[in-house]
Amino acid sequence: MSKQRVIVVGNGMVGHKFIDSVINSDNAENYEILTFSEEPRLAYDRVKLSSYFSGSTVDDLMLTSEEHYQSAGVIYTLNDKVVDIDHDNKTVKLASGKVERYDKLVLATGSYPFVPPIPGKDQPHCLVYRTIEDLEDITASAQESKVGVVVGGGLLGLEAANALKNLGLETHVVEFAPRLMAVQLDEGGGNLLRRKVEALDVNVHTEKNTKNITAGEKHRYRMEFADGSYLETDMILFSAGIRPQDELARNCGIDVGERGGIVIDNYCRTSVEDIYAIGECALWDSKIFGLVAPGYQMAKVALSHIDGGKEEFTGADMSTKLKLLGVDVASVGDAHARTPGAQTYTYEDGVNEVYKRLIVSEDRKKLLGAVLVGDVEAYGTLQQMCVNSMDLPEAPEQLILPASDGSAGAAMGVDALPDTAQLCSCLDVTKGDIVDAVQGGCCTMGDIKEKTEASTGCGGCAALVKSVMDNELKNLGVEVNNHLCEHFNYSRAELADIVRVKKIESFDELLDSHGNGGLGCEICKPTVGSILASFWNDYVLEDKHMGLQDTNDIYLGNMQKDGTYSIVPRVAGGEITPDKLIVLGEVAKEYDLYTKITGGQRIDLFGAQLHELPEIWKKLVDAGFETGHAYGKSVRTVKSCVGSTWCRYGVQDSVGMAIAVENRYKGLRSPHKLKFAVSGCTRECAEAQSKDIGVIATENGWNLYVCGNGGMRPRHADLFATDLDDETLVKYIDRVLMFYIRTADRLQRTSVWLENLEGGLDYLREVVIDDKLNIAQELEDEMTSNIGKYQCEWKTTIENPEKLKRFRHFVNSDETDSNLAYVVEREQRRPANEQERENQIPAVEVTA
Amino acid sequence: MSANAVSDEQQTQWIEVCDKNALDSDTGVCALINGKQIAVFYVGKLDEVFAIDNYDPIGKANVLSRGIIGTQGEHICVASPLYKEHYDLRTGECLENSDIRVTAYAVKIENGKVLIAV
Ligand code: SRM
Ligand SMILES: Cc1cc2nc3c(=O)[nH]c(=O)nc-3n(C[C@H](O)[C@H](O)[C@H](O)COP(=O)(O)OP(=O)(O)OC[C@H]3O[C@@H](n4cnc5c(N)ncnc54)[C@H](O)[C@@H]3O)c2cc1C
Ligand code: SF4
Ligand code: FES
C-alpha cells in the first residue's frame, strides 16, 4: 500500500501533538507527514509561555526540534502560510507559491488574540500575548515603560499582569465585566481574587469600557473610558479573549460557525471530505475549547479516524486550577449555577481569605460545579465527583468546610472513583490506566509518568495520581514502604539499629554496606549524621561528617531567609547573670544584630553574616557562653519557673533542676528536637506538660511527664511516674530518650512517636520502669557515653584554623555578599522585603 | 543558551579560583568571579568538581554553595539550604520545576588548582 500523504496546517501545540501521535503509532510507516507553520520555529509550549519572564529560554519552551522531525521523516516548512485549499484537486497552496498534494488535510491553525476595535489600538506600544515574538516585543517595550495596563481580567490577562509585574512595571488590569475571571468565577470568588491580587500591588479596574487611546500627559498613552474616567500608561497589553483562526477554511468553502470556528463532528471532520480540524480553531457542538487538553483529545480522535478507528470526541471538562499571581484559584463545571434548580453552598473565611462554593443539583445528589479561591485542596475531589457524576455525601457542605480536627476535610476515598475517571486531563489518563500500570509493576511516580505519561503536563493531577497509585499498591498487598529515601531500603529506626549494632562510624561506611549506590541526599545524609552523633557523638564538623550536616548544623547557626545566620547561646534553665546579659548586648550592638527574647527563655541575635560567626562566637565563648544548639535536631531548652528559691508557692528548686537537666542533655542529637521544662509546683508556670520531657515538683519529689508537644499539633504530655527522687528521675529520662533515639522515625517528635508505639504509654513504662526488654542498662550506658563526649561545637570550631576557613562568603575573596539589604524597624534592622529592595534601586537607572 | 557545561577547550578562558585542597569533600564553597557568585562543589567519591550559580532563584539569596550534595537517580545535585529544591550540578536544572534553572559552568582541577570557565 502506498503511503497516505497527510498535511497538517499549523505547527502549534495541537498540530504537533497530532504529528507526534502519528510518529509514535504502530502504523507510522503508512503515512507521509507534511506540516507548514507561519511561525519561524516548530511547536513550543504556549501554556508555559509566561515562564519566559521568570528565566525560561526559547529552548526550554520547545516541544520538539528540527532534528527530531527530520529523523522521523516529517517534512516541514517554517515561515510559510497556507493561503488556499483546492479540495476538488486535493491540493494546498502556500504564500510562497508552492503547491502540495494531500490525501488528508488537518487544520490546526489555532486562534489569535482578539483586540477590541478601539481607536488608537494600533500604536507601537499596544501589544498582544500569544507567541514568542510577542514576548520579545513586550520585553522591549517594558524597557522603555514604567506603567503597563493589561486589557482583560481573564485567566490570560492575569498571567499577562504577572509578566508585567515581573518586568518591573506598575501594573494595572482593566476589565469590562464587573469582576475578574468572569468566565470561571462567581461574584464571591471574583471579589476575593480581586482583593488578593490588589494586595500584590496590581491595580484592578472593573466595569471599564475603553473608548479611545490618545496621547497621555504623564505617560505615553491615555486610555479614555466610557464612564468619563481615564488612566495613563506607557504600554498596553490586550488580552481580551481569543478568536479561532478560521480565515483559511472560511475562504475555501469549509463551514464555519456564526461567530467563527471551523465546524467539526465527533470525528473532528469538517464539512469537506478528508479535511479535519483540531485544536482552538475547531468548533464542536457550537463550542470553542480554549485549553490545550481538549485539543490533544481532538488530535487523538482525528488520527484514529484517519487510521480507520472509531474514537469520538464527546466534549471536554473545562475545569481549571491554577495559581495566578501567587493566588490559588479553581473552577469546576457549572461555576455560575446556570443549571435550572441548582442549589449552592458557600463558605467564606474573611480572616484567612478563603472562598469556596459548591453548586449541586436540585435533589442535592450530584455536584454540578464549584468555585475555590485561596484554598484549592478540594479541587481534585470535586472535579472527579463532577465529571463522573458521583453521588454526593449526605452533608455536601463537608466537602468545603474545614474539618474540626484540622485535617483536610474534603478527602475522598479514591476507591470510590470509577475506573473510567479521567485523572490527568492533559494527557487523558484514567484511573484504570494507573491501576493497570501498577498491576504491571509500576510502584513510583517516576514509573507511572514513564508508563502512562500522567502528570507530565501541567502537573496539577500529581497528588491525585499518587494517591490512586498508593491505594492500588495497598490493594495489591504491597507494603507502602517506610524506606528513608532512594539510597536506603531501611527506615530510620532500622538504620539506627544497624549503626549501633555494627558499630558503623561514617556515612560512607553505611552507604557502601547497606545502601543502594549513589551519593546519598539531603534526607539520608542528615538522618545518618544525626544517628552517628546520637551514638558516637563525634565533633559534627569532622571531615567525614561535615557533608552530612543540614543547612543549619553545617555552619552551627540557623540560616535566615536572606542567607545570614542567627546566634543563640545556651542559657540553661533561662537563668542568666547581668554580666552575661551585658555581653550579649555589647556583641549585638557591635555587629548590629537584631535582638529578640525567644519562646525558649533565651536570647536570639539575628543577621550575622557567615564570616562574622567565628568572631562573634569567640567573644561569646570567652565570656563563658556555649552553643545553644538552636540549629540542631537536638536538645533545645529546659524552660523553668523560678521555683521554691523565690516563689511563695514553690515546693522544689525548679531552676536548679532545670539547669542540671539542661547541662546533662545539652548537645544530644535525636530524631527531632527535644524540649524540656521544670515547674516548681502544680501551678505549672513552666508549661512542662507541653514539652517532650516535663518535670513538675511535688512535696515528695518530681512528677515526670513525657511526650508532650507544642507547635503544629499540640499534645499534652502523659504523666509517666510520680514522686521520683532526683536520681530516679534522671535515670528514667535517660532511658526514655535513648529508647526514643533508637526507635523513632526521621523527624518524628516524641508525641507522634508515642502515638505510634505499639502498646503505647504502658509499653513505654514496661520498657523503662520494669525493664521488660532487659535493655535499661544499655540505654543508660549509651546516654552516659554520649554525655561524656560532649563538647561545645563552637569552642572546638574557633580553636581549629582549618575549620574556620569555611566561614567566609567567598573562597577567593574577602568581599561579602552584596545581595543583603536591610531596613530599620522599631530601632533595629531587619531584611528588606522585595518591594523595599526594589525601591532601594537608584532611580537614575530607570530614567533616560 | 546552553547550560551544559563542557564547551570548546580552545575558546574557553579558564580562571583560577583556589587550591584544590581548599575544597572539603562533599561540600561546597562560593567563588567570586568577574563579580559573579559561583558555587563550587567537590564530590570526593568521584574526585570531580562542579560549578553552578550561587544564587537560589526560589529562596532569592546567595546560598546554593551551602546546600547538601547528593544524587537523585542519575542526577548529581545540590539541595538548596533554604527550601530544599534540587539543582542538577551538571546542567543547573531545577528538578522540581523545569521552568527554573541556574547556570552551570565548566570547571576542572589542574595541577592542584581549581579552574572555572565563565
Ligand atoms: C527563635 C524561636 C521563636 C522566637 O523568637 O521565640 C523559634 C524559631 C524557630 N522555630 Fe520554633 N522557635 C522558638 C520556639 C518554639 C516553641 C516554644 C518553646 O520551645 O517553648 C515552639 C513550640 C513548642 C514545641 O516545639 O513543642 C516551637 C515550635 C516550632 C516548630 C513546630 C514543632 C512541632 O513539633 O510542631 C518548628 C518546625 C519544626 O521543627 O519542624 C519550629 C521551627 C523553628 C525554626 C527553626 C524555623 C526555621 O527552620 O527557620 C525557627 C528558627 C530559629 C532561628 O533561626 O533561630 N519551631 N518553636 C524560638 C526559639 C526557642 C529557643 O530559644 O530555642
Ligand atoms: C499565555 C498563554 C497561556 C496559556 N495557558 C494555558 C493553560 O494554562 N492551560 C491550557 O490548557 N491552555 C493554555 N493556553 C492555551 C493553549 O496555549 C492553547 O489551547 C493551545 O496552544 C492551542 O493549540 P493549537 O495548536 O490549537 O493552536 P496554536 O498553538 O495557536 O497553534 C496554531 C499554529 O498555527 C499557525 N497557523 C495558523 N494559520 C496558519 C496557516 N494558514 N498556515 C500555517 N500556519 C498557520 C499559527 O501561527 C500557530 O503557530 C494558554 C495560551 C496562552 C497564549
Ligand atoms: S510553678 Fe509554682 S513555683 Fe513556679 S512560679 Fe508558678 S507558682 Fe511559683
Ligand atoms: S492534568 Fe495536567 S499533567 Fe495531569
Side-chain angles (χ1 to χ4, degrees):
Chain A
M1 194 180 85
S2 73
K3 288 191 177 197
Q4 287 216 58
R5 208 161 201 252
V6 181
I7 292 185
V8 181
V9 184
N11 195 257
M13 295 189 75
V14 174
H16 167 68
K17 184 77 184 179
F18 176 88
I19 292 170
D20 205 42
S21 308
V22 176
I23 298 173
N24 290 322
S25 83
D26 295 338
N27 301 333
E29 61 282 15
N30 297 349
Y31 300 100
E32 180 182 19
I33 305 282
L34 289 83
T35 184
F36 301 100
S37 180
E38 207 184 347
E39 294 195 55
R41 57 179 69 76
L42 290 174
Y44 52 89
D45 195 344
R46 232 180 273 290
V47 171
K48 299 219 179 89
L49 214 49
S50 301
S51 68
Y52 181 86
F53 294 109
S54 48
S56 286
T57 61
V58 172
D59 275 349
D60 297 335
L61 290 173
M62 292 307 293
L63 291 174
T64 182
S65 64
E66 301 199 17
E67 296 78 62
H68 181 67
Y69 270 22
Q70 281 158 12
S71 70
V74 176
I75 302 162
Y76 59 88
T77 307
L78 301 175
N79 283 317
D80 206 352
K81 185 174 174 179
V82 175
V83 291
D84 197 17
I85 305 170
D86 176 350
H87 39 80
D88 294 331
N89 294 311
K90 290 189 135 182
T91 57
V92 297
K93 188 169 159 204
L94 286 135
S96 58
K98 220 175 357 176
V99 173
E100 291 284 358
R101 181 189 61 77
Y102 68 81
D103 294 314
K104 304 280 181 192
L105 184 65
V106 177
L107 302 176
T109 49
S111 58
Y112 62 90
F114 169 66
V115 178
I118 304 166
K121 69 176 169 53
D122 294 323
Q123 304 180 65
H125 293 268
C126 298
L127 306 169
V128 294
Y129 192 17
R130 175 122 195 132
T131 64
I132 287 180
E133 285 64 36
D134 293 338
L135 300 178
E136 288 163 353
D137 291 347
I138 293 168
T139 314
S141 168
Q143 274 167 4
E144 301 167 34
S145 302
K146 282 187 178 162
V147 180
V149 169
V150 176
V151 177
L155 208 146
L156 281 187
L158 293 178
E159 246 189 79
N162 197 28
L164 294 190
K165 260 201 70 126
N166 282 340
L167 289 167
L169 300 190
E170 174 189 323
T171 305
H172 297 259
V173 173
V174 169
E175 167 61 49
F176 179 67
R179 62 173 177 275
L180 295 177
M181 281 185 74
V183 180
Q184 292 86 1
L185 298 184
D186 64 351
E187 199 182 326
N191 287 343
L192 177 55
L193 177 63
R194 175 187 186 139
R195 257 182 286 143
K196 290 194 163 219
V197 165
E198 282 175 338
L200 297 165
D201 266 338
V202 172
N203 306 285
V204 178
H205 313 266
T206 49
E207 296 184 85
K208 293 287 178 202
N209 182 3
T210 314
K211 278 285 171 224
N212 201 1
I213 301 169
T214 57
E217 276 168 21
K218 294 218 179 89
H219 296 280
R220 198 172 283 132
Y221 304 126
R222 171 177 291 197
M223 300 172 67
E224 295 172 357
F225 303 122
D227 62 6
S229 61
Y230 67 87
L231 179 64
E232 294 218 340
T233 180
D234 297 309
M235 69 173 297
I236 300 174
L237 200 49
F238 288 103
S239 182
I242 53 166
R243 293 289 179 269
Q245 182 58 271
D246 58 8
E247 190 192 355
L248 175 66
R250 187 187 294 268
N251 294 343
C252 302
I254 299 173
D255 282 355
V256 294
E258 218 169 275
R259 287 158 63 213
I262 308 169
V263 177
I264 58 167
D265 66 7
N266 287 6
Y267 300 109
C268 299
R269 292 182 297 194
T270 66
S271 61
V272 173
E273 182 140 7
D274 292 329
I275 302 184
Y276 298 76
I278 57 178
E280 277 185 350
C281 62
L283 184 74
W284 177 88
D285 191 25
S286 313
K287 286 188 275 245
I288 291 283
F289 295 90
L291 293 177
V292 72
Y296 281 0
Q297 244 163 291
M298 291 179 193
K300 230 172 106 187
V301 168
L303 175 59
S304 155
H305 191 263
I306 291 171
D307 218 28
K310 284 257 168 313
E311 275 184 54
E312 288 187 48
F313 182 78
T314 53
D317 174 40
M318 296 296 280
S319 299
T320 23
K321 176 180 103 175
L322 59 168
K323 216 184 186 82
L324 288 169
L325 290 148
V327 181
D328 286 311
V329 181
S331 147
V332 174
D334 178 14
H336 298 285
R338 297 217 170 94
T339 314
Q343 312 262 1
T344 60
Y345 294 88
T346 306
Y347 169 78
E348 194 166 359
D349 172 351
V351 179
N352 294 309
E353 304 205 302
V354 172
Y355 176 89
K356 302 183 197 177
R357 187 169 199 226
L358 289 185
I359 295 94
V360 304
S361 60
E362 199 167 4
D363 59 9
R364 274 174 258 160
K365 288 229 162 72
K366 303 284 178 194
L367 183 67
L368 300 174
V371 177
L372 307 168
V373 178
D375 171 8
V376 295
E377 217 184 295
Y379 174 79
T381 303
L382 298 177
Q383 191 259 351
Q384 290 298 327
M385 291 196 122
C386 193
V387 294
N388 298 305
S389 294
M390 294 163 64
D391 282 335
L392 279 168
E394 279 291 308
E397 68 272 19
Q398 292 305 336
L399 293 169
I400 49 170
L401 289 179
S404 45
D405 63 359
S407 67
M412 166 189 60
V414 286
D415 268 335
L417 287 175
D419 269 357
T420 50
Q422 187 191 48
L423 303 184
C424 174
S425 55
C426 289
L427 282 304
D428 186 21
V429 183
T430 62
K431 177 183 170 194
D433 297 334
I434 304 293
V435 169
D436 287 348
V438 172
Q439 289 176 350
C442 294
C443 51
T444 64
M445 275 304 275
D447 297 347
I448 293 278
K449 284 185 184 170
E450 211 176 301
K451 177 89 200 172
T452 67
E453 291 193 304
S455 274
T456 56
C458 70
C461 58
L464 192 59
V465 170
K466 176 152 191 325
S467 57
V468 168
M469 176 188 82
D470 285 347
N471 188 56
E472 185 54 24
L473 283 169
K474 232 167 70 206
N475 289 346
L476 290 178
V478 180
E479 206 179 305
V480 180
N481 71 51
N482 56 359
H483 298 171
L484 192 58
C485 63
E486 66 180 63
H487 304 101
F488 289 101
N489 295 344
Y490 297 98
S491 67
R492 180 207 168 270
E494 288 165 341
L495 289 177
D497 278 342
I498 294 169
V499 166
R500 186 172 51 84
V501 174
K502 304 213 163 159
K503 304 226 175 326
I504 288 176
E505 287 177 9
S506 73
F507 178 79
D508 282 345
E509 207 183 318
L510 186 66
L511 186 66
D512 291 343
S513 58
H514 292 81
N516 302 331
L519 297 175
C521 65
E522 82 291 351
I523 309 245
C524 58
K525 282 184 168 180
T527 304
V528 172
S530 158
I531 295 173
L532 294 169
S534 290
F535 293 124
W536 319 132
N537 207 5
D538 292 339
Y539 172 47
V540 289
L541 298 187
E542 221 169 76
D543 287 350
K544 66 179 178 201
H545 301 318
M546 193 161 58
L548 310 179
Q549 306 307 332
D550 218 333
T551 306
N552 292 334
D553 295 63
I554 190 161
Y555 291 105
L556 307 174
N558 295 54
M559 183 184 277
Q560 305 299 315
K561 59 202 283 187
D562 61 353
T564 63
Y565 289 87
S566 75
I567 291 175
V568 191
R570 187 165 297 289
V571 178
E575 184 186 84
I576 187 164
T577 61
D579 279 338
K580 279 191 161 174
L581 272 177
I582 289 168
V583 171
L584 289 180
E586 280 170 352
V587 168
K589 247 176 139 168
E590 184 178 347
Y591 290 88
D592 191 14
L593 301 172
Y594 169 84
T595 306
K596 179 179 182 301
I597 308 287
T598 72
Q601 291 191 339
R602 46 191 188 170
I603 295 170
D604 203 340
L605 311 175
F606 295 85
Q609 297 182 49
L610 198 53
H611 66 274
E612 295 173 326
L613 289 175
E615 300 165 31
I616 295 174
W617 273 105
K618 171 119 193 9
K619 291 183 198 237
L620 295 174
V621 168
D622 286 348
F625 282 104
E626 289 182 326
T627 179
H629 291 98
Y631 43 79
K633 297 289 173 246
S634 56
V635 169
R636 292 289 170 85
T637 62
V638 182
K639 184 172 172 177
S640 76
C641 75
V642 62
S644 60
T645 40
W646 288 88
C647 178
R648 60 194 162 131
Y649 294 116
V651 293
Q652 307 279 351
D653 175 11
S654 49
V655 178
M657 179 53 87
I659 293 172
V661 169
E662 184 152 348
N663 282 330
R664 179 170 182 81
Y665 301 110
K666 65 188 174 191
L668 177 66
R669 283 189 157 71
S670 49
H672 207 318
K673 57 192 170 193
L674 289 167
K675 298 180 176 181
F676 301 52
V678 183
S679 278
C681 85
T682 178
R683 289 167 191 76
E684 242 282 71
C685 302
E687 301 174 300
Q689 290 166 92
S690 67
K691 302 298 180 194
D692 299 273
I693 298 289
V695 178
I696 302 178
T698 67
E699 299 278 349
N700 306 316
W702 308 97
N703 282 353
L704 173 60
Y705 289 79
V706 298
C707 304
N709 206 159
M712 298 176 260
R713 204 171 59 90
R715 177 182 192 276
H716 275 148
D718 289 304
L719 179 59
F720 186 74
T722 53
D723 292 334
L724 304 174
D725 59 31
D726 290 10
E727 200 187 326
T728 315
L729 175 72
V730 166
K731 202 153 65 178
Y732 286 178
I733 300 177
D734 276 4
R735 294 176 188 178
V736 170
L737 291 180
M738 219 58 208
F739 192 51
Y740 163 68
I741 286 171
R742 278 193 183 188
T743 58
D745 248 335
R746 163 179 177 266
L747 297 185
Q748 190 176 45
R749 287 287 290 264
T750 55
S751 57
V752 183
W753 168 69
L754 181 64
E755 281 164 13
N756 286 295
L757 191 67
E758 234 172 280
L761 188 66
D762 288 338
Y763 177 67
L764 186 61
R765 282 204 190 99
E766 284 167 15
V767 173
V768 169
I769 301 176
D770 309 335
D771 197 11
K772 180 179 174 179
L773 301 181
N774 201 13
I775 55 169
Q777 192 60 47
E778 265 180 44
L779 296 174
E780 278 177 47
D781 291 348
E782 275 159 25
M783 186 61 86
T784 309
S785 144
N786 186 297
I787 292 167
K789 290 194 178 156
Y790 170 80
Q791 57 190 307
C792 169
E793 291 152 1
W794 263 113
K795 184 159 187 287
T796 310
T797 304
I798 51 186
E799 287 165 357
N800 183 336
E802 272 308 303
K803 294 294 166 195
L804 286 183
K805 284 190 190 153
R806 297 182 39 77
F807 291 84
R808 301 170 70 189
H809 193 82
F810 296 110
V811 66
N812 60 343
S813 158
D814 285 331
E815 279 185 44
T816 56
D817 188 359
S818 58
N819 187 44
L820 304 175
Y822 296 92
V823 294
V824 171
E825 188 172 84
R826 296 185 296 275
E827 296 168 59
Q828 300 200 67
R829 74 176 157 107
R830 62 153 174 85
N833 60 35
E834 251 177 86
Q835 207 182 351
E836 288 161 343
R837 278 174 170 272
E838 277 165 27
N839 294 344
Q840 290 181 352
I841 294 172
V844 262
E845 282 190 18
V846 200
T847 50
Chain B
M1 179 189 73
S2 159
N4 230 323
V6 186
S7 46
D8 202 337
E9 292 272 341
Q10 278 88 33
Q11 302 173 3
T12 327
Q13 198 205 336
W14 293 95
I15 298 179
E16 184 181 319
V17 179
C18 61
D19 281 355
K20 180 194 163 186
N21 52 27
L23 304 178
D24 288 306
S25 190
D26 303 322
T27 61
V29 295
C30 176
L32 184 64
I33 296 175
N34 300 340
K36 234 182 143 33
Q37 298 201 13
I38 298 182
V40 183
F41 302 92
Y42 176 61
V43 177
K45 235 182 184 166
L46 310 175
D47 191 26
E48 240 185 283
V49 273
F50 300 90
I52 61 173
D53 287 332
N54 191 38
Y55 187 72
D56 170 351
I58 296 174
K60 299 199 166 47
N62 287 311
V63 295
L64 288 184
S65 60
R66 293 178 243 161
I68 292 187
I69 51 186
T71 46
Q72 294 288 303
E74 297 299 302
H75 299 274
I76 296 185
C77 46
V78 61
S80 163
L82 280 169
Y83 304 113
K84 312 289 178 207
E85 298 84 6
H86 298 92
Y87 293 88
D88 188 304
L89 294 184
R90 295 191 184 100
T91 64
E93 172 197 356
C94 172
L95 303 188
E96 281 75 18
N97 182 346
S98 58
D99 291 346
I100 293 177
R101 62 164 63 221
V102 297
T103 308
Y105 304 88
V107 55
K108 63 181 178 185
I109 302 176
E110 228 168 59
N111 305 326
K113 300 280 181 203
V114 179
L115 305 171
I116 293 193
V118 279

